[in-house]
Amino acid sequence: MTYRIIGAILVIVTCSGVGFSIANVHKKEVDSLGQLLRAFDFMACELQFRMPDLPQLCHLTANQVSGSLRSLFRQLESELNQQVSADALCCMRAAISKTDKLSEITKQNLLLLGKTLGRFDLQGQLSGISSVIQLCQRDLDGLLNNQEVRLRSYRTLGICAGVALVILFI
């Protein structure tokens, strides 16, 4: 009998953990996109006023963000300095592949940025960054829409799934 109770508790805790984990991943995606927007704004301002070269721009941007985005921009700076490829998109792909814990939405927005960096004149780059900012903001707005309800639903679903499994097994 005690084994059943212990097993039931473990099933509920595990399923609840999955629900809370999904909610935590959602929060991290929101935080990552927020940092990415700040990074893109910073890059646009730096390009507009100081016009640094791309490796220096990535270095400056890395100092403005934290976590996996910081390591991504440092890796991108390294890729650009090594000049394995003259194309910023190829360097961005290489930097993304060497950086872990990036969400798919973040990767997509970074690849869009890689398509415009270093390819056009100043106005073209600023226009490209502006369009990526708009797309990133759209993604962020989609995640923030009813965020509290969605997070509560993930948590509740995890708990309810655990209780349902316990009921089925007993």
Side-chain angles (χ1 to χ4, degrees), residues 98-111:
K98 293 178 183 176
T99 306
D100 51 342
K101 298 183 181 176
L102 289 173
S103 69
E104 285 303 314
I105 296 173
T106 303
K107 288 178 184 178
Q108 291 171 0
N109 286 307
L110 286 167
L111 288 173

Side-chain angles (χ1 to χ4, degrees), residues 14 29 111 169:
T14 302
E29 279 186 348
L111 288 173
F169 290 147

Side-chain angles (χ1 to χ4, degrees), residues 103-123:
S103 69
E104 285 303 314
I105 296 173
T106 303
K107 288 178 184 178
Q108 291 171 0
N109 286 307
L110 286 167
L111 288 173
L112 289 173
L113 175 71
K115 289 180 181 178
T116 62
L117 283 181
R119 183 167 287 196
F120 304 108
D121 63 346
L122 178 62
Q123 283 306 110

Side-chain angles (χ1 to χ4, degrees), residues 20-86:
F20 280 81
S21 168
I22 292 170
N24 194 29
V25 166
H26 181 84
K27 283 182 174 180
K28 286 183 180 181
E29 279 186 348
V30 168
D31 181 54
S32 178
L33 283 176
Q35 280 193 54
L36 198 58
L37 276 172
R38 287 190 298 278
F40 292 162
D41 283 336
F42 177 80
M43 292 174 92
C45 290
E46 282 294 314
L47 279 174
Q48 196 168 16
F49 296 110
R50 291 188 1 178
M51 292 186 286
D53 59 351
L54 283 180
Q56 183 182 9
L57 179 65
C58 292
H59 177 76
L60 294 170
T61 306
N63 293 331
Q64 301 297 316
V65 293
S66 62
S68 57
L69 284 178
R70 175 175 285 173
S71 45
L72 173 105
F73 281 111
R74 286 187 176 154
Q75 187 64 42
L76 182 58
E77 174 191 9
S78 171
E79 293 287 331
L80 289 168
N81 279 331
Q82 292 174 5
Q83 291 192 2
V84 174
S85 173

Side-chain angles (χ1 to χ4, degrees), residues 150-168:
R150 190 177 304 130
L151 294 179
R152 189 177 24 206
S153 297
Y154 292 150
R155 294 177 188 129
T156 304
L157 186 62
I159 294 168
C160 290
V163 171
L165 283 174
V166 167
I167 291 171
L168 286 173

